[in-house]
Amino acid sequence: FRLEGLNGLYRGNGVQMLRIFPYGAIQFSSYEAFKRLFTKEEALTTTAAAAHWKKFLAGSMGGVCGVVSTYPLDTVRAHLAFHTKVDDRYNGIRRAFSTILSQSGLKGLYRGLMPSVLAIVPQAGLIFFFFELLKTSILKNVSFLRVLEGPGCSLNLTEVYSLTIPGQLLAGGTAGALAQSVCYPLDVARRRMQLGQGTGLFAVLVDTYRSHGVTKGLYRGMSVNYIRAVPLNAVSFSVYESCKQTFGIPTSLKIPV
């Protein structure tokens, strides 16, 4: 802030906006496709615990699809955020692209891709896993965060419920916080490799731990990340559920009565 003012806090935000649209679309649509591939149709509307692990796998695959498709934009965003405005080589999206290509070629845009894929597998998988788990728990136990959509099967004594918007926000935000708590060190290592600060995911994790420890190394910036991740995932999953309802894709679950 002292060096660049308010604009410095938003460096890289333009390319982040360009990246997040296709990333979100690819991640969520891929998740839906893989979820239907791994899970039987009737299991999609039940609260069976076994189905959540298949959604973890589907979420991981969706995350991988999103990362691979938009990784060059993420690399540019990382460089724009890391380098100050004084460095003219990274002053703007187009110039940052040119600098990376001239210095490292096409390979430079994909530096750190494998660590990013390895990091997104548990992170995306856990976000969707925790969201589906919390969604089920809220629908079962918190009556003021659910809305009745209709009767289920009279023989099995079930009713069909879906989350209210506050319920969607609560489940999404909590899922994001839980997933970040588990996977944050992988994200720290990924960022360092993306900027050319080390090679090999495990080696970077070990070096970060030896140099800075846990709280000031592997989990450095975690509190700020919570401030960003919780509302981001809360809104993302709320919009995701609302869009599914708008397009006629079921979001409700059958709850025993």
Side-chain angles (χ1 to χ4, degrees):
F1 183 82
R2 290 178 180 176
L3 291 174
E4 302 181 45
L6 188 62
N7 289 337
L9 297 177
Y10 284 89
R11 278 183 62 81
N13 187 58
V15 70
Q16 170 70 355
M17 295 301 294
L18 288 176
R19 184 191 75 91
I20 203 67
F21 280 107
Y23 175 81
I26 293 169
Q27 182 187 34
F28 281 106
S29 60
S30 297
Y31 168 69
E32 285 293 323
F34 284 115
K35 182 173 71 173
R36 280 164 172 72
L37 179 65
F38 299 144
T39 308
K40 294 180 179 179
E41 187 67 29
E42 61 270 17
L44 294 173
T45 57
T46 67
T47 58
H52 296 315
W53 290 106
K54 294 180 181 178
K55 291 168 186 175
F56 168 87
L57 182 58
S60 297
M61 297 299 293
V64 169
C65 291
V67 164
V68 172
S69 301
T70 61
Y71 194 75
L73 288 171
D74 194 43
T75 299
V76 171
R77 186 206 62 80
H79 279 278
L80 286 172
F82 180 76
H83 295 280
T84 65
K85 195 174 182 179
V86 177
D87 192 341
D88 290 335
R89 298 174 303 167
Y90 298 96
N91 188 8
I93 297 173
R94 184 178 299 178
R95 188 168 294 180
F97 260 114
S98 298
T99 300
I100 295 170
L101 286 172
S102 62
Q103 290 182 344
S104 308
L106 191 61
K107 184 179 180 180
L109 292 174
Y110 287 91
R111 177 181 290 140
L113 175 60
M114 285 310 298
S116 294
V117 170
L118 293 175
I120 201 65
V121 166
Q123 181 177 326
L126 285 174
I127 286 178
F128 283 100
F129 170 80
F130 283 132
F131 176 76
E132 297 289 353
L133 194 65
L134 289 164
K135 176 180 176 179
T136 299
S137 180
I138 292 172
L139 288 176
K140 281 183 175 181
N141 304 303
V142 188
S143 58
F144 63 88
L145 291 178
R146 69 187 187 188
V147 58
L148 179 65
E149 292 197 352
C153 178
S154 59
L155 295 177
N156 295 328
L157 298 177
T158 60
E159 290 180 333
V160 179
Y161 288 96
S162 61
L163 288 176
T164 62
I165 290 180
Q168 296 167 2
L169 293 170
L170 176 61
T174 305
L178 291 172
Q180 285 290 311
S181 299
V182 176
C183 302
Y184 190 72
L186 293 174
D187 197 48
V188 170
R190 179 178 72 88
R191 293 296 181 196
R192 291 191 61 184
M193 293 185 67
Q194 202 170 36
L195 295 170
Q197 300 176 357
T199 57
L201 181 62
F202 182 73
V204 172
L205 285 170
V206 171
D207 179 65
T208 303
Y209 173 74
R210 288 177 176 174
S211 301
H212 306 288
V214 177
T215 57
K216 294 184 178 181
L218 296 177
Y219 280 90
R220 183 181 179 87
M222 186 64 187
S223 57
V224 175
N225 191 64
Y226 274 136
I227 297 173
R228 180 192 69 88
V230 171
L232 171 65
N233 285 285
V235 173
S236 294
F237 276 98
S238 181
V239 172
Y240 161 64
E241 290 278 292
S242 298
C243 286
K244 286 175 64 177
Q245 293 170 355
T246 300
F247 292 114
I249 302 173
T251 63
S252 54
L253 296 178
K254 297 176 182 177
I255 305 298
V257 294

